[in-house]
Every structure is written in C-alpha cells, then in structure tokens.
Amino acid sequence: TTVVLVVNRNTTTEHLQSLSRRQTLQLDIPDSPWEPAFFTALEERTRAVGLSSLRTVLLPENDLEVRFWHDRLEIVSGVVIRRTGQEWSASWIYQVEDSRPSSARLVALDQPKSGWEVFWKNLVEGGILTLPDSPRPQCPTEALDGISYVVETNVDGKYRTYMYSNPQLMKCAEAKQLLQLDEMIRQEFSLGENRRLDLAHKPGAIN
C-alpha cells in the first residue's frame, strides 16, 4: 500500500508528524525478563480462543482495546475491553483445566454496572493508560509465587504493556492503583475473588 501526502503551505510539520504517528503503531514494551516469558505463555491461551496479538494491530482512530491479565503460575485469565466505532464490548478468558493452556475459553460479558462511558472514564482516571511497569527497586516484593497482573493497552495509535507481581505485598502508590483497577473491573463485571466468572447464568463459551 502506497500512502501519498499532498502538502500545501498550510500543512504544518506538526500535522504531518501527527499523520505519520497514526499510520504506525507506537510500541512501549519494557525491556524486562517478565515480558517475553509471560507473552510466550499467553500465546497458547490466546491462540485457543482466536485472539490475535494486540501489539501488531493499528486500530482505527476512535477504536481501542485493553486487556487486563491475571497470571497465577499455570493459570492465566483476563478481561478484554474493546471499543469499535461507537460499540463497546467485553470478554472474559479463562482456562477450563488449570494445567492445560489450550483449554482456554472466551465468553462475552454483560455491560459494566456503571455503563460504558462512566466505566471507561474511571479506568482512565485510575491510571490504566499511564501506570509504569512495576517501578523497582522503589516497589519491591519478596514473594516468589503468587499472582501477577499484566495490562495491555492499544489506544490512540500506541501499544503499552506493564506488569506488577504480587502488588498486594507492595507499599508503593502504583501497586495500590493497580489493585484498585482490578477491584473496579471485578465489581463492574461481577467477577469473583478468584478471578473466575460465575458462569451459572451464562449460555456458554464463545470458543
């Protein structure tokens, strides 16, 4: 595909740079050992439910996607939030069998209790788009096992990801923000304490 820009004297450098940014997905990926390890493990789950990599897709200007993952040893689950045009949706990914990543399934979630616009506003104000990767050594944890939280965002032509391991044991403000985001998502979509959806009233998995 060839992109041709017609430039006149009223076309500013800033405008051209803005167009260029929208045509290329910007990547903000930490240079940290957790990143390749987690996403290698995640790929088998996302492949099982037909979910493509979020870091390779330049979304249309008004679209967005956020993925909020929980990693507990061999168990990975998460919520996917999307806006496509004016339409919002959310899905829950979980494993049927804890030790078998390929058993991952995906179900559609009902809209958040507060409504989409309020929910998204609260997520943004809570820092979901701006939290840094776990700021060590300012935010250390001594635990080796437990639960890790990984967030992916693809918004306004920029992909970001960051991770917090056992934030419940951390003392820094960023970890507390992450836990507040987790609580907000669980409450809005009626997810249980163990990060598994109560499927009793659901028609079944999409995949």
Side-chain angles (χ1 to χ4, degrees):
T1 302
T2 302
V3 177
V4 179
L5 295 178
V6 179
V7 182
N8 59 39
R9 68 182 63 184
N10 295 321
T11 304
T12 65
T13 300
E14 182 179 351
H15 180 62
L16 290 175
Q17 291 174 341
S18 176
L19 286 174
S20 178
R21 284 194 297 271
R22 286 202 296 268
Q23 293 161 5
T24 304
L25 182 64
Q26 300 177 64
L27 301 178
D28 183 357
I29 300 172
D31 182 13
S32 181
W34 73 261
E35 187 275 330
F38 172 78
F39 282 98
T40 297
L42 180 66
E43 184 178 5
E44 191 170 358
R45 281 90 172 170
T46 54
R47 185 169 58 244
V49 299
L51 195 65
S52 61
S53 171
L54 192 56
R55 64 181 59 181
T56 60
V57 181
L58 179 62
L59 300 175
E61 188 172 356
N62 293 318
D63 292 4
L64 61 86
E65 185 163 337
V66 171
R67 300 177 182 179
F68 196 98
W69 300 106
H70 305 99
D71 181 8
R72 190 190 299 269
L73 296 178
E74 295 184 349
I75 307 170
V76 178
S77 58
V79 173
V80 177
I81 298 165
R82 288 178 177 153
R83 185 178 69 199
T84 304
Q86 300 300 315
E87 297 295 323
W88 289 90
S89 65
S91 302
W92 172 249
I93 297 172
Y94 67 100
Q95 291 177 219
V96 175
E97 299 178 29
D98 290 349
S99 60
R100 191 162 68 89
S102 62
S103 72
R105 296 293 183 269
L106 183 148
V107 295
L109 295 173
D110 296 330
Q111 76 167 19
K113 294 175 182 177
S114 65
W116 279 112
E117 296 302 331
V118 172
F119 174 55
W120 178 245
K121 178 176 179 290
N122 290 338
L123 287 177
V124 172
E125 291 179 350
I128 200 164
L129 300 180
T130 55
L131 276 174
D133 192 37
S134 184
R136 299 176 181 177
Q138 304 96 316
C139 201
T141 178
E142 300 301 325
L144 297 178
D145 296 325
I147 185 168
S148 295
Y149 298 74
V150 177
V151 179
E152 297 182 87
T153 65
N154 188 328
V155 181
D156 292 334
K158 184 175 184 178
Y159 170 88
R160 295 186 70 237
T161 187
Y162 54 89
M163 185 275 287
Y164 286 77
S165 179
N166 295 300
Q168 71 278 6
L169 303 178
M170 296 177 175
K171 304 300 183 183
C172 58
E174 293 89 348
K176 293 178 181 178
Q177 279 184 268
L178 191 284
L179 290 174
Q180 289 170 353
L181 290 169
D182 176 57
E183 177 68 13
M184 185 190 310
I185 291 170
R186 288 196 304 104
Q187 292 296 328
E188 290 280 1
F189 293 114
S190 300
L191 298 171
E193 288 291 341
N194 62 352
R195 280 80 184 179
R196 290 172 181 251
L197 180 65
D198 179 1
L199 295 176
H201 65 290
K202 291 292 178 182
I206 295 175
N207 286 291

